[in-house]
Amino acid sequence: MLFVLLVSCLAILGKYDFNIKNAVNGEAETQSVVFAEEDEIPEIHGERTYLFWCAEDDRSSIHFAWLVNVSMPEREMKIYTVTPETVVEVDGEATSLEMLYSKSGERELAAAVEKATGVKIDGYAGSDGNSFRNMINSFSGIDVTVPEQVEYR
């Protein structure tokens, strides 16, 4: 169930620039699709990559950022951490992704990550800490099960 919800969200994000904070505050324009029980839900094909992050309300810092690559119908998902302190070159000047986001916003952040990694970003979504917590709580939390011992090196 959670997987279907995540894939549905990613499909929507693939079509629109979406900011979770604006949606929670009712400022974002959204689109809903309702399927009747007899309708077949369209299958997602191909590969998509999305950028997700959580930052302070005032954009002063980014708590985390991820590139999420989804490959369908194989149902494979890969998550890569993007370090906010990563230095990128913008207009001939070196700056961190965090500083770029603070000064220039979402689109410039996504474009810089795309340029630095060489990975096409199909959509992005950002939130502040409170909006992120509210979103997770609206789903009654998220359970994560790790099937085996994970070792960090």
Side-chain angles (χ1 to χ4, degrees):
M1 173 78 173
L2 180 61
F3 179 77
V4 172
L5 177 64
L6 179 60
V7 171
S8 299
C9 290
L10 293 176
I12 292 169
L13 290 173
K15 191 170 183 182
Y16 302 100
D17 291 337
F18 186 77
N19 181 298
I20 292 170
K21 180 181 176 190
N22 289 342
V24 171
N25 291 333
E27 299 169 12
E29 186 175 312
T30 60
Q31 177 181 353
S32 298
V33 177
V34 178
F35 293 97
E37 269 189 48
E38 63 275 1
D39 290 342
E40 186 174 322
I41 297 175
E43 190 170 307
I44 300 171
H45 293 281
E47 191 171 299
R48 303 246 191 243
T49 302
Y50 302 93
L51 174 65
F52 296 100
W53 70 90
C54 180
E56 288 293 323
D57 278 342
D58 63 1
R59 295 186 180 179
S60 61
S61 66
I62 298 175
H63 299 293
F64 66 81
W66 299 324
L67 275 177
V68 179
N69 176 268
V70 179
S71 183
M72 296 300 283
E74 295 87 2
R75 295 184 177 194
E76 293 178 351
M77 183 183 310
K78 298 173 187 165
I79 301 174
Y80 303 93
T81 300
V82 177
T83 306
E85 294 81 18
T86 300
V87 176
V88 295
E89 187 174 314
V90 178
D91 298 329
E93 293 187 30
T95 187
S96 70
L97 291 173
E98 190 168 59
M99 186 62 67
L100 177 66
Y101 174 68
S102 176
K103 291 182 177 179
S104 303
E106 295 88 358
R107 289 186 182 176
E108 287 74 11
L109 174 65
V113 170
E114 192 172 78
K115 183 178 178 185
T117 62
V119 175
K120 180 184 179 298
I121 296 175
D122 298 296
Y124 55 85
S127 74
D128 62 43
N130 289 329
S131 296
F132 184 77
R133 184 173 28 264
N134 291 340
M135 179 185 66
I136 297 301
N137 289 341
S138 72
F139 294 115
S140 299
I142 293 179
D143 295 326
V144 177
T145 303
V146 180
E148 56 190 62
Q149 180 67 32
V150 177
E151 294 182 29
Y152 296 96
R153 298 179 188 189

